[in-house]
Amino acid sequence: MTNDTALTVHQTARPHGFPTPDHFAFVESAVPRPAPGTALVENLYWSVDPYHRELMDDVPGGNALHTPLEGRAVGRVVESRRPGLKEGELVFHRQGWRTHAVVTPDEVRRLPHLDGVPLSAHLGILGGTGLTAYVGLTRIARLQEGEDLFVSAAAGGVGTATARLARLLGAGRIVGSAGSAAKVAHLTSEVGYDAAFDYHDGPVAEQLAKAAPDGFDVFVDNVGGEHLGAGIAGLREYGRVVRVGTVSQYNDPAAPPVRFNHADVVEKSLRLEGFLVRDHRDAQDELYAFVVPHLQSGRVGLDETVTVGFESIVGAFLGMLRGANVGKTIVRAAHAS
């Protein structure tokens, strides 16, 4: 790729089970020129998220084949034909997996300069990942000081952000599940979990009962399946389930239905609620105000798995689906600092 060439990633086929590199293609084109009222952005960081797997299927709102993939990115305005978008400005947008994007002002969010905060944070704890965790805890669960949590897929982007934000909100005991012994150790030594377990080591319900023998008040679920059933069983009276994602069946459409004691929902007065973060973008400034001072002080760290080079984005995505990441999966342009 030369300085005059742009790259985009297209989906070329529908996967059955886990996707492979053959389901994607890198397509070269000339770097686009901005029309009047638009600006050209050269992307520096790209977000790789579990929901991208859902969009690969033939579902409403899913990816169209042979077109650029949707996704979150951070870049720099390099050419502008719009007074409100200045060259050199850093912006967030959703134009997807591409090296260059032509945007209008209403398609971007200008990023503030935050001393001591890496630019990648705008795709992690200050981006959709952190906003998901923040909204889940504050608006859906309405977490109260001292309440205990269980978080599934605790070593992922939302899982690590949930624990860090819950600590700031005054949570009590936090328990998580993850996919390896190394991730379990990382959660308890680095992220702030009080206890964690590897869900490969036995039935989730049994391991959860050992890790949280007195139950918990809030369950933030990124997995579904066996985890959802076990989490409902472990909730205390007036417990809340925050449904964020269902990664257990993204690559297994034939996954069995969730089994749980339906009477628990009534007898323990439980509440189960799912949400889409796109419906809570008004909380973005609130998230900044809450988290940025703690990022700058070092009280909150960044949980990221960063891969360098846009050409590695498909590999980063496939690795994330198989659990190769800890924290948020991000791809950084080779020339970005």
Side-chain angles (χ1 to χ4, degrees):
M1 187 178 70
T2 69
N3 292 335
D4 297 324
T5 304
L7 277 180
T8 60
V9 179
H10 293 201
Q11 182 181 334
T12 58
R14 303 289 181 197
H16 299 282
F18 276 92
T20 71
D22 293 337
H23 293 102
F24 303 90
F26 285 88
V27 178
E28 290 189 6
S29 64
V31 173
R33 300 269 71 86
T38 69
L40 175 66
V41 174
E42 182 181 20
N43 291 323
L44 302 173
Y45 291 87
W46 297 267
S47 178
V48 177
D49 298 286
Y51 80 85
H52 286 129
R53 175 60 188 86
E54 282 187 287
L55 298 181
M56 293 186 73
D57 294 330
D58 188 13
V59 295
N63 299 330
L65 297 182
H66 307 292
T67 58
L69 295 183
E70 185 269 355
R72 305 179 179 111
V74 166
R76 179 179 288 108
V77 176
V78 293
E79 185 179 351
S80 179
R81 300 188 66 186
R82 174 79 183 211
L85 287 173
K86 298 179 181 179
E87 294 179 7
E89 274 194 304
L90 294 170
V91 297
F92 166 93
H93 64 84
R94 299 184 64 94
Q95 297 296 318
W97 291 6
R98 60 178 80 205
T99 57
H100 299 77
V102 174
V103 300
T104 61
D106 60 352
E107 292 173 331
V108 302
R109 184 173 78 247
R110 294 170 182 81
L111 299 181
H113 174 73
L114 303 170
D115 289 333
V117 178
L119 195 56
S120 59
H122 292 284
L123 292 177
I125 199 163
L126 295 180
T129 298
L131 191 61
T132 297
Y134 181 77
V135 168
L137 291 171
T138 62
R139 295 190 175 187
I140 309 302
R142 302 186 185 100
L143 180 71
Q144 301 299 306
E145 188 171 351
E147 289 189 319
D148 300 329
L149 278 80
F150 169 48
V151 183
S152 61
V158 172
T160 51
T162 295
R164 293 197 183 270
L165 298 185
R167 280 281 172 243
L168 297 179
L169 291 165
R173 194 163 185 270
I174 308 177
V175 173
S177 68
S180 71
K183 289 183 177 181
V184 166
H186 179 77
L187 290 176
T188 54
S189 65
E190 301 294 333
V191 181
Y193 278 86
D194 295 288
F197 61 87
D198 181 349
Y199 64 83
H200 294 110
D201 289 344
V204 173
E206 293 180 9
Q207 295 198 77
L208 180 57
K210 292 178 181 178
D214 297 323
F216 40 88
D217 304 288
V218 173
F219 172 29
V220 179
D221 183 31
N222 299 286
V223 176
E226 185 183 2
H227 279 79
L228 180 54
I232 289 174
L235 280 166
R236 298 172 182 148
E237 191 175 25
Y238 306 113
R240 289 88 76 200
V241 181
V242 181
R243 291 283 291 120
V244 175
T246 314
V247 296
S248 65
Q249 60 187 70
Y250 288 167
N251 297 293
D252 185 9
V258 178
R259 297 175 64 88
F260 65 93
N261 182 356
H262 291 72
D264 277 347
V265 177
V266 176
E267 294 172 1
K268 293 193 288 187
S269 300
L270 304 182
R271 179 165 58 84
L272 186 153
E273 184 174 350
F275 72 100
L276 295 173
V277 72
R278 71 187 184 199
D279 296 326
H280 297 272
R281 290 174 184 162
D282 62 304
Q284 185 67 55
D285 290 341
E286 189 179 320
L287 174 68
Y288 277 5
F290 182 67
V291 179
V292 168
H294 299 296
L295 287 171
Q296 293 173 322
S297 72
R299 183 179 179 187
V300 171
L302 297 181
D303 303 286
E304 299 176 339
T305 296
V306 180
T307 303
V308 179
F310 181 72
E311 295 83 355
S312 68
I313 195 167
V314 170
F317 173 60
L318 299 179
M320 178 204 61
L321 291 180
R322 296 194 177 275
N325 63 300
V326 174
K328 174 69 180 176
T329 303
I330 293 174
V331 175
R332 174 171 63 84
H335 62 280
S337 59

PDB file of all heavy atoms in Angstrom, residues 231-246:
ATOM      1  N   GLY A 231     -25.983 -17.587  36.787  1.00  0.00           N
ATOM      2  CA  GLY A 231     -26.068 -16.263  37.384  1.00  0.00           C
ATOM      3  C   GLY A 231     -27.419 -15.986  38.009  1.00  0.00           C
ATOM      4  O   GLY A 231     -27.506 -15.405  39.105  1.00  0.00           O
ATOM      5  N   ILE A 232     -28.481 -16.390  37.330  1.00  0.00           N
ATOM      6  CA  ILE A 232     -29.826 -16.200  37.880  1.00  0.00           C
ATOM      7  C   ILE A 232     -29.976 -16.975  39.184  1.00  0.00           C
ATOM      8  O   ILE A 232     -30.546 -16.480  40.162  1.00  0.00           O
ATOM      9  CB  ILE A 232     -30.881 -16.616  36.844  1.00  0.00           C
ATOM     10  CG1 ILE A 232     -30.907 -15.596  35.698  1.00  0.00           C
ATOM     11  CG2 ILE A 232     -32.264 -16.755  37.489  1.00  0.00           C
ATOM     12  CD1 ILE A 232     -31.802 -15.982  34.548  1.00  0.00           C
ATOM     13  N   ALA A 233     -29.437 -18.185  39.225  1.00  0.00           N
ATOM     14  CA  ALA A 233     -29.541 -19.000  40.441  1.00  0.00           C
ATOM     15  C   ALA A 233     -28.797 -18.364  41.609  1.00  0.00           C
ATOM     16  O   ALA A 233     -29.210 -18.497  42.762  1.00  0.00           O
ATOM     17  CB  ALA A 233     -28.990 -20.397  40.175  1.00  0.00           C
ATOM     18  N   GLY A 234     -27.696 -17.663  41.323  1.00  0.00           N
ATOM     19  CA  GLY A 234     -26.878 -17.106  42.384  1.00  0.00           C
ATOM     20  C   GLY A 234     -27.309 -15.749  42.887  1.00  0.00           C
ATOM     21  O   GLY A 234     -26.770 -15.251  43.894  1.00  0.00           O
ATOM     22  N   LEU A 235     -28.257 -15.123  42.232  1.00  0.00           N
ATOM     23  CA  LEU A 235     -28.683 -13.779  42.642  1.00  0.00           C
ATOM     24  C   LEU A 235     -29.455 -13.805  43.963  1.00  0.00           C
ATOM     25  O   LEU A 235     -30.212 -14.730  44.242  1.00  0.00           O
ATOM     26  CB  LEU A 235     -29.566 -13.152  41.566  1.00  0.00           C
ATOM     27  CG  LEU A 235     -28.835 -12.554  40.364  1.00  0.00           C
ATOM     28  CD1 LEU A 235     -29.810 -12.285  39.240  1.00  0.00           C
ATOM     29  CD2 LEU A 235     -28.103 -11.268  40.752  1.00  0.00           C
ATOM     30  N   ARG A 236     -29.249 -12.765  44.738  1.00  0.00           N
ATOM     31  CA  ARG A 236     -30.016 -12.584  45.961  1.00  0.00           C
ATOM     32  C   ARG A 236     -31.377 -11.972  45.655  1.00  0.00           C
ATOM     33  O   ARG A 236     -31.662 -11.605  44.511  1.00  0.00           O
ATOM     34  CB  ARG A 236     -29.246 -11.658  46.916  1.00  0.00           C
ATOM     35  CG  ARG A 236     -27.899 -12.187  47.354  1.00  0.00           C
ATOM     36  CD  ARG A 236     -27.132 -11.145  48.126  1.00  0.00           C
ATOM     37  NE  ARG A 236     -25.807 -11.625  48.526  1.00  0.00           N
ATOM     38  CZ  ARG A 236     -24.730 -10.866  48.643  1.00  0.00           C
ATOM     39  NH1 ARG A 236     -24.815  -9.557  48.378  1.00  0.00           N
ATOM     40  NH2 ARG A 236     -23.578 -11.381  49.015  1.00  0.00           N
ATOM     41  N   GLU A 237     -32.177 -11.817  46.685  1.00  0.00           N
ATOM     42  CA  GLU A 237     -33.480 -11.176  46.535  1.00  0.00           C
ATOM     43  C   GLU A 237     -33.300  -9.760  45.982  1.00  0.00           C
ATOM     44  O   GLU A 237     -32.370  -9.046  46.363  1.00  0.00           O
ATOM     45  CB  GLU A 237     -34.186 -11.131  47.887  1.00  0.00           C
ATOM     46  CG  GLU A 237     -35.653 -10.729  47.794  1.00  0.00           C
ATOM     47  CD  GLU A 237     -36.358 -10.810  49.132  1.00  0.00           C
ATOM     48  OE1 GLU A 237     -35.676 -10.713  50.175  1.00  0.00           O
ATOM     49  OE2 GLU A 237     -37.591 -10.963  49.138  1.00  0.00           O
ATOM     50  N   TYR A 238     -34.144  -9.390  45.060  1.00  0.00           N
ATOM     51  CA  TYR A 238     -34.120  -8.101  44.366  1.00  0.00           C
ATOM     52  C   TYR A 238     -32.874  -7.934  43.479  1.00  0.00           C
ATOM     53  O   TYR A 238     -32.462  -6.822  43.162  1.00  0.00           O
ATOM     54  CB  TYR A 238     -34.217  -6.914  45.343  1.00  0.00           C
ATOM     55  CG  TYR A 238     -35.408  -7.004  46.263  1.00  0.00           C
ATOM     56  CD1 TYR A 238     -35.245  -7.195  47.631  1.00  0.00           C
ATOM     57  CD2 TYR A 238     -36.710  -6.926  45.746  1.00  0.00           C
ATOM     58  CE1 TYR A 238     -36.337  -7.302  48.471  1.00  0.00           C
ATOM     59  CE2 TYR A 238     -37.813  -7.029  46.583  1.00  0.00           C
ATOM     60  CZ  TYR A 238     -37.630  -7.221  47.935  1.00  0.00           C
ATOM     61  OH  TYR A 238     -38.724  -7.325  48.762  1.00  0.00           O
ATOM     62  N   GLY A 239     -32.292  -9.051  43.068  1.00  0.00           N
ATOM     63  CA  GLY A 239     -31.132  -9.004  42.206  1.00  0.00           C
ATOM     64  C   GLY A 239     -31.480  -8.548  40.799  1.00  0.00           C
ATOM     65  O   GLY A 239     -32.634  -8.598  40.367  1.00  0.00           O
ATOM     66  N   ARG A 240     -30.452  -8.072  40.078  1.00  0.00           N
ATOM     67  CA  ARG A 240     -30.647  -7.571  38.719  1.00  0.00           C
ATOM     68  C   ARG A 240     -29.665  -8.243  37.767  1.00  0.00           C
ATOM     69  O   ARG A 240     -28.484  -8.383  38.080  1.00  0.00           O
ATOM     70  CB  ARG A 240     -30.425  -6.049  38.643  1.00  0.00           C
ATOM     71  CG  ARG A 240     -31.515  -5.227  39.305  1.00  0.00           C
ATOM     72  CD  ARG A 240     -31.253  -4.999  40.773  1.00  0.00           C
ATOM     73  NE  ARG A 240     -30.215  -3.989  40.995  1.00  0.00           N
ATOM     74  CZ  ARG A 240     -29.538  -3.881  42.129  1.00  0.00           C
ATOM     75  NH1 ARG A 240     -29.748  -4.718  43.136  1.00  0.00           N
ATOM     76  NH2 ARG A 240     -28.632  -2.927  42.269  1.00  0.00           N
ATOM     77  N   VAL A 241     -30.177  -8.636  36.605  1.00  0.00           N
ATOM     78  CA  VAL A 241     -29.344  -9.160  35.528  1.00  0.00           C
ATOM     79  C   VAL A 241     -29.248  -8.093  34.455  1.00  0.00           C
ATOM     80  O   VAL A 241     -30.267  -7.626  33.935  1.00  0.00           O
ATOM     81  CB  VAL A 241     -29.945 -10.442  34.912  1.00  0.00           C
ATOM     82  CG1 VAL A 241     -29.034 -10.966  33.797  1.00  0.00           C
ATOM     83  CG2 VAL A 241     -30.170 -11.505  35.973  1.00  0.00           C
ATOM     84  N   VAL A 242     -28.024  -7.693  34.106  1.00  0.00           N
ATOM     85  CA  VAL A 242     -27.787  -6.743  33.029  1.00  0.00           C
ATOM     86  C   VAL A 242     -27.277  -7.540  31.838  1.00  0.00           C
ATOM     87  O   VAL A 242     -26.171  -8.074  31.855  1.00  0.00           O
ATOM     88  CB  VAL A 242     -26.751  -5.679  33.434  1.00  0.00           C
ATOM     89  CG1 VAL A 242     -26.539  -4.689  32.296  1.00  0.00           C
ATOM     90  CG2 VAL A 242     -27.193  -4.963  34.703  1.00  0.00           C
ATOM     91  N   ARG A 243     -28.078  -7.653  30.795  1.00  0.00           N
ATOM     92  CA  ARG A 243     -27.705  -8.446  29.613  1.00  0.00           C
ATOM     93  C   ARG A 243     -26.998  -7.541  28.611  1.00  0.00           C
ATOM     94  O   ARG A 243     -27.590  -6.614  28.051  1.00  0.00           O
ATOM     95  CB  ARG A 243     -28.951  -9.061  28.985  1.00  0.00           C
ATOM     96  CG  ARG A 243     -29.590 -10.148  29.823  1.00  0.00           C
ATOM     97  CD  ARG A 243     -28.820 -11.481  29.727  1.00  0.00           C
ATOM     98  NE  ARG A 243     -28.974 -12.041  28.400  1.00  0.00           N
ATOM     99  CZ  ARG A 243     -27.965 -12.298  27.564  1.00  0.00           C
ATOM    100  NH1 ARG A 243     -26.734 -12.030  27.899  1.00  0.00           N
ATOM    101  NH2 ARG A 243     -28.202 -12.809  26.380  1.00  0.00           N
ATOM    102  N   VAL A 244     -25.718  -7.832  28.395  1.00  0.00           N
ATOM    103  CA  VAL A 244     -24.893  -7.048  27.487  1.00  0.00           C
ATOM    104  C   VAL A 244     -24.665  -7.774  26.174  1.00  0.00           C
ATOM    105  O   VAL A 244     -24.726  -7.181  25.092  1.00  0.00           O
ATOM    106  CB  VAL A 244     -23.543  -6.705  28.145  1.00  0.00           C
ATOM    107  CG1 VAL A 244     -22.616  -5.988  27.168  1.00  0.00           C
ATOM    108  CG2 VAL A 244     -23.760  -5.836  29.390  1.00  0.00           C
ATOM    109  N   GLY A 245     -24.381  -9.079  26.240  1.00  0.00           N
ATOM    110  CA  GLY A 245     -24.080  -9.827  25.027  1.00  0.00           C
ATOM    111  C   GLY A 245     -24.276 -11.313  25.235  1.00  0.00           C
ATOM    112  O   GLY A 245     -24.540 -11.779  26.357  1.00  0.00           O
ATOM    113  N   THR A 246     -24.119 -12.070  24.141  1.00  0.00           N
ATOM    114  CA  THR A 246     -24.353 -13.520  24.171  1.00  0.00           C
ATOM    115  C   THR A 246     -23.248 -14.210  23.391  1.00  0.00           C
ATOM    116  O   THR A 246     -23.488 -14.924  22.422  1.00  0.00           O
ATOM    117  CB  THR A 246     -25.742 -13.859  23.590  1.00  0.00           C
ATOM    118  OG1 THR A 246     -26.722 -12.976  24.147  1.00  0.00           O
ATOM    119  CG2 THR A 246     -26.150 -15.286  23.925  1.00  0.00           C
TER     120      THR A 246
END
